[in-house]
Every structure is written in C-alpha cells, then in structure tokens.
Amino acid sequence: MTEKRQKQTQKGLAETGVTGRNSGLNRIGAEDVATRREEPSPETTRLMEAVVERGNMRKAYARLVRNKGAAGIDRMTVAELRPYLIRQWVEVKEQLLDGTYRPLPVRGKEIPKAGGKGVRKLGIPVVLDRLIQQALHQVLVPLFDPAFSEYSYGFREGRGAHGAIKQAREYVNAGRNWVVDIDLEKFFDRVNHDLLMAKVARRVKDKRILRLIRKFLQAGMMEDGLVTVRTDGTPQGGPLSPLLSNIMLDELDKELEKRGHKFCRYADDCNIYVRSEASGRRVKTSITRFLWRRLKLAVNEQKSAVDRPWHRKFLGYSMTAERTVRLKPAVGASGRFKEKVRELIRQGRGRNISRFIQEDLKPLLVGWANYYGLAEMKTEFEDLDGWIRRHLRCVQWRQWKNRRTRQKRLMQAGLTEERARMGARNRRGPWWNAAAPAMSEACSNAYFDKLGLPSLHQQIWMFRTRYQTAVYGTVRTVV
C-alpha cells in the first residue's frame, strides 16, 4: 500500500472512529463532544452531513445489531457488516455526501397474515441499506414527529398499540358506540411516490436526502431471481417505511381533526368513533372520497365497515357489549395463540421439559400476556393456563414411555403405589391421561411453577396492577 493510500485509509478510519487495536463499528461515531454539542437545525439544508455524522451512525449500527434481521439479496448478515464497513465506509460516506449512492434491490418475502387470510409482502433491504435507512430515520424523525397528530400511535417513540386501544375504549365509554373501521387496500404497496416525496420535501431541503429517499422507494424487488421495478409503494421491512407511512397519512389525520372527528390511527389501521350509524355511513363515504382524491389511496370495502365496536377488532382487541365496555382479545386471537403453542410443543416433545419451558415456551407466553395485558376478562386466561398445563402433562406422559416408568415417576411425585399403578396401567391415550387425577396430582400447578412456567393470568394481573396503580392509584376488579 502506498504512503498516500495509507494516509487516506487512516483518515477514513479516523472519521468512522475505527482506529487502534480495537477498531470496529463499536467505534463508529465516537463523537468529539468538545467540537459538536448541538443537534442539526431542523431547517438546515445539509442534513446528509447529520446522517453520516459519527454519533448518528454509531447509534444506527447499535439499533441494527439489536434488531438483527434477515440478510438481503447480497446474503450479508448483520455480523458481517462491521468488517465490511471497516474496509468500505470511506467510499460509502463519499457516495452519500455527493449523492451517488445507489441502494440494492430488496429481497421479496411473503408471510401469511393472521388467520390465514392471504399473505403480506415484505421487502428486506441488504444490511448496509438498512443501516443507512436507520441513520436517515434518526435524523428525519425530529423534523416530522412533533407535527404529527396526537391520535397517531403507530411507529412513534413513547406511543404504541396500547395507547390507541385505551383511547378507543374512552371514546366508546363516552357514548360514541359506533365505529367507522377504515381498511386501506394494500397501503404499503400503493403509496404514490410523487405525493409522498412532495410531503417530505416540505420539511427536508437537502436535495441529496430527497434523492436518496426516492432511490430507496424505487429500488426494485427481487423474487425468484428476477428484479421488478417499483413505481409506487413503500414495502414493509426497512427502518424508513414506518416513518414514510406516517408522513403520507398525516394529511388524513389533519383532515379528521379539522372536521372534529374522534379517531385512533395505528399505521394504516384507522378507526373513527361516532354516535350513530347514519353519521358513521356519512363519514365513511366522505373519508373514502377524500383518501382517493387527495392521497390516491383506495379503501378496501370488504374489510371496512360501520358497526358496533364489540363486533369489530382493533389491533387484536375487541370490547364487551356493556354500558361501560371492557377490553378483551378479539375473536381468533386465542386460537392463533394456541396454534403457536401447539407448534412449539410439537418441536419440543423430545427435549428436557424444564429447558423447553424456559427457552421456548416462556418467551411466547410472556410476550402474549404483555400485549393482552389490557384485557379485563380473566376467565379466558385461566382457561388458557389450564390448557397449556394439560399439553405439558401430555408431553411428560409421552416421555415416560412405558407403564413401568410411568408408575415409578408417579410414585416419585408422591402417589401411593396402588394409585400410581392404576394411573400408569390404564389403556387410555396421552391426552386423556393428561387430565386424569394421577397426572394432575403428579404434575400439579406447583410443579410447573418450580419449572418456571409463567401463568398468563398472573402475568396479566401484574401488568394491570402496574398500569392501574400508575393511572388510577388503585386496582379495579377484573371479572
């Protein structure tokens, strides 16, 4: 390597923070606090410098590693990105700054929708493009998010599905017991690029940023080895897509606010709450016309409706048909959860049951309980707890294999020899025995507690206790 090239390399490594013995992406963005103490001004026309700034890139890389994710069409994994950037970051940064960077096509992947109703198409960018999108996202969010509606809950810091669900419940309890459920037809596949870029350009003045975003939007999608060019849509899968969807739909939020409507929107799921069916139908017709004329977005008439909230689902939740409504999991939520549990149990039949519970089953149960922690119907969760324990007893019965082993295990669990013999030597199947008195006593609730099996009912009760204590100062009864 020539002396000139060595100096260029050292300069590039210094810019990325990759220097010394422990060089790597953990050093990208080691910001010099003495020289940079202020965030970029929202009105600056040099936003690209803020995107490639060392502190911003380091934060983006940390977020990328935390999220992991699949490889794109170049097959590069997140673990392989760091050594690649050590070698190529100087060149990549120059391309971003002079506007010549070109994203690679995304990898198309279809995943089944909940309930088996069709598929959802994802576009998975290569890891380098995901890193750059994340860095862009971090710079653009402070420009756009403060102006978003208070009733937009999707993909925003400090907001989420629970906030939208609680707001919806407040509307219904206030007497707005009709809902206009708006479902946008293939929203992420049909966003008009020109309209979206015009909205972005209202706040972003750096033309390099605008050109880069359009390149990300127009990057092709590779499926079965063939690349198709995109002229509209912002496929899900990249860090930038959620922000772009909120930018596109912010005009809908502002229109609803201007008309005085009460609504909740989470990404492309929008519910408007009104006091009568007639007003709901007028709103639905008017908003459908607005979406098409102003945003070129079509409403899916088959999935949209004007109905009672307890007949519809919103973000996996529904409501009870009572004077003061309560939240509950939507129809089908428990069924989909059971399918996931069955699949895990099928995969873990031959494993140590304690390790299987800790490594595979517990994360699913805790995650599901945390999401449905707002539900106020404890009976359903108690039933699910019993169903899960029965499945685990069934697995344990199968693992004991023969009558002799089963009798021995039952006796070790505290059953008398006669009861253990009768329990082990019946000719019934595993599912029947999983609910029989002998197995229920041998593998009791306390037994599963020792193995670390979470109780959905207890998890949800703890969630509600924390939430209600913070909001109301006390815990309300759950039926």
Side-chain angles (χ1 to χ4, degrees):
M1 183 182 291
T2 65
E3 183 179 352
K4 180 179 180 181
R5 181 58 178 166
Q6 285 179 341
K7 290 181 178 180
Q8 289 176 340
T9 303
Q10 291 300 323
K11 179 183 177 182
L13 292 176
E15 287 181 351
T16 61
V18 184
T19 58
R21 182 182 303 173
N22 297 320
S23 62
L25 253 293
N26 61 319
R27 293 279 302 159
I28 274 191
E31 186 176 3
D32 185 358
V33 178
T35 59
R36 181 180 290 274
R37 296 182 180 275
E38 297 180 358
E39 295 292 330
S41 170
E43 298 302 323
T44 183
T45 59
R46 300 183 63 80
L47 283 177
M48 187 60 81
E49 281 72 14
V51 171
V52 300
E53 185 265 331
R54 288 182 284 179
N56 189 56
M57 292 304 302
R58 181 175 59 180
K59 182 179 176 183
Y61 179 77
R63 183 64 177 266
L64 183 71
V65 172
R66 188 163 62 248
N67 291 345
K68 298 180 181 179
I73 63 171
D74 63 353
R75 304 298 180 186
M76 183 188 293
T77 65
V78 172
E80 295 169 330
L81 179 62
R82 177 186 170 204
Y84 175 84
L85 284 173
I86 292 174
R87 299 189 307 268
Q88 302 293 334
W89 172 246
V90 174
E91 182 181 350
V92 171
K93 180 179 179 180
E94 288 176 357
Q95 290 175 358
L96 290 169
L97 289 174
D98 63 24
T100 60
Y101 182 84
R102 296 196 66 82
L104 290 177
V106 299
R107 178 167 67 88
K109 183 177 180 181
E110 293 182 344
I111 59 172
K113 290 184 178 180
K117 299 178 180 178
V119 295
R120 187 184 307 279
K121 182 171 288 189
L122 298 182
I124 303 173
V126 298
V127 289
L128 177 60
D129 287 346
R130 289 213 301 275
L131 174 70
I132 294 170
Q133 284 194 33
Q134 180 61 40
L136 266 173
H137 180 272
Q138 291 164 183
V139 169
L140 295 180
V141 163
L143 301 183
F144 288 94
D145 192 82
F148 286 157
S149 169
E150 178 185 352
Y151 305 103
S152 169
Y153 294 90
F155 312 119
R156 299 179 65 191
E157 189 71 27
R159 293 173 174 267
H162 282 182
I165 293 159
K166 288 183 285 189
Q167 182 64 69
R169 179 179 59 188
E170 291 181 14
Y171 288 148
V172 177
N173 282 332
R176 297 179 178 274
N177 50 16
W178 284 89
V179 61
V180 183
D181 189 349
I182 299 292
D183 184 274
L184 297 177
E185 188 171 4
K186 297 182 178 180
F187 168 73
F188 286 94
D189 296 332
R190 297 186 175 179
V191 170
N192 184 287
H193 288 175
D194 292 335
L195 284 175
L196 175 57
M197 290 308 303
K199 296 178 185 301
V200 175
R202 292 173 186 171
R203 292 181 178 273
V204 175
K205 306 305 179 184
D206 191 328
K207 293 184 179 180
R208 295 168 298 175
I209 295 283
L210 297 176
R211 285 195 295 266
L212 181 59
I213 293 175
R214 186 175 280 275
K215 287 176 184 178
F216 277 124
L217 290 173
Q218 295 179 339
M221 179 176 289
M222 178 176 286
E223 296 179 282
D224 300 324
L226 298 176
V227 176
T228 56
V229 178
R230 290 210 313 269
T231 57
D232 52 16
T234 169
Q236 301 173 76
L240 203 55
S241 293
L243 174 62
L244 295 179
S245 70
N246 277 335
I247 292 173
M248 187 69 179
L249 291 174
D250 185 58
E251 188 170 349
L252 169 64
D253 298 339
K254 296 298 191 291
E255 181 68 16
L256 292 172
E257 289 179 341
K258 186 174 74 172
R259 298 183 185 188
H261 292 314
K262 304 299 182 182
F263 70 98
C264 302
R265 185 179 65 78
Y266 189 97
D268 57 335
D269 289 331
C270 183
N271 278 7
I272 307 166
Y273 294 86
V274 296
R275 296 184 183 277
S276 69
E277 183 179 10
S279 60
R281 295 194 180 282
R282 288 195 300 269
V283 169
K284 180 175 178 292
T285 300
S286 176
I287 293 301
T288 299
R289 186 186 307 117
F290 170 84
L291 285 167
W292 178 249
R293 289 181 176 178
R294 296 290 293 273
L295 302 179
K296 303 303 179 186
L297 295 173
V299 170
N300 188 327
E301 294 293 343
Q302 294 182 340
K303 295 183 179 180
S304 302
V306 177
D307 207 339
R308 296 290 194 180
W310 43 88
H311 294 156
R312 306 294 295 179
K313 64 179 180 179
F314 181 49
L315 302 177
Y317 276 83
S318 188
M319 302 180 188
T320 59
E322 301 170 329
R323 182 179 295 274
T324 301
V325 300
R326 291 175 294 158
L327 296 171
K328 63 179 183 179
V331 174
S334 297
R336 291 190 293 274
F337 171 71
K338 285 183 174 182
E339 278 301 315
K340 293 179 182 179
V341 173
R342 287 192 190 99
E343 181 61 28
L344 278 181
I345 288 176
R346 280 194 291 268
Q347 296 172 1
R349 281 177 180 172
R351 297 181 56 193
N352 175 277
I353 194 165
S354 176
R355 195 155 55 244
F356 166 71
I357 288 173
Q358 290 294 325
E359 296 177 1
D360 296 340
L361 193 56
K362 184 176 180 178
L364 173 64
L365 302 185
V366 172
W368 199 82
N370 284 341
Y371 186 77
Y372 286 101
L374 295 177
E376 301 162 285
M377 310 292 288
K378 74 173 184 178
T379 305
E380 183 171 357
F381 301 112
E382 291 175 335
D383 292 343
L384 283 173
D385 281 334
W387 179 86
I388 292 168
R389 288 193 293 267
R390 184 174 180 180
H391 264 282
L392 291 174
R393 292 188 187 106
C394 185
V395 170
Q396 191 75 88
W397 182 266
R398 289 177 184 274
Q399 290 182 348
W400 290 344
K401 293 185 178 179
N402 57 56
R403 296 178 182 179
R404 186 175 180 178
T405 303
R406 288 166 182 165
Q407 180 177 338
K408 178 182 176 181
R409 296 297 188 187
L410 290 173
M411 291 176 63
Q412 289 175 347
L415 276 69
T416 63
E417 182 178 356
E418 182 179 0
R419 285 197 64 208
R421 180 179 59 81
M422 292 179 62
R425 296 178 183 273
N426 68 75
R427 297 182 179 276
R428 301 278 189 169
W431 185 246
W432 186 91
N433 276 286
M439 280 298 287
S440 296
E441 184 176 338
C443 301
S444 62
N445 295 2
Y447 168 78
F448 287 118
D449 288 342
K450 290 180 181 178
L451 295 182
L453 178 70
S455 163
L456 290 176
H457 173 243
Q458 291 177 358
Q459 290 286 321
I460 288 172
W461 176 253
M462 288 190 294
F463 178 93
R464 291 187 56 75
T465 299
R466 293 193 300 268
Y467 166 68
Q468 292 185 357
T469 301
V471 176
Y472 304 110
T474 184
V475 180
R476 299 189 294 182
T477 303
V478 180
V479 179

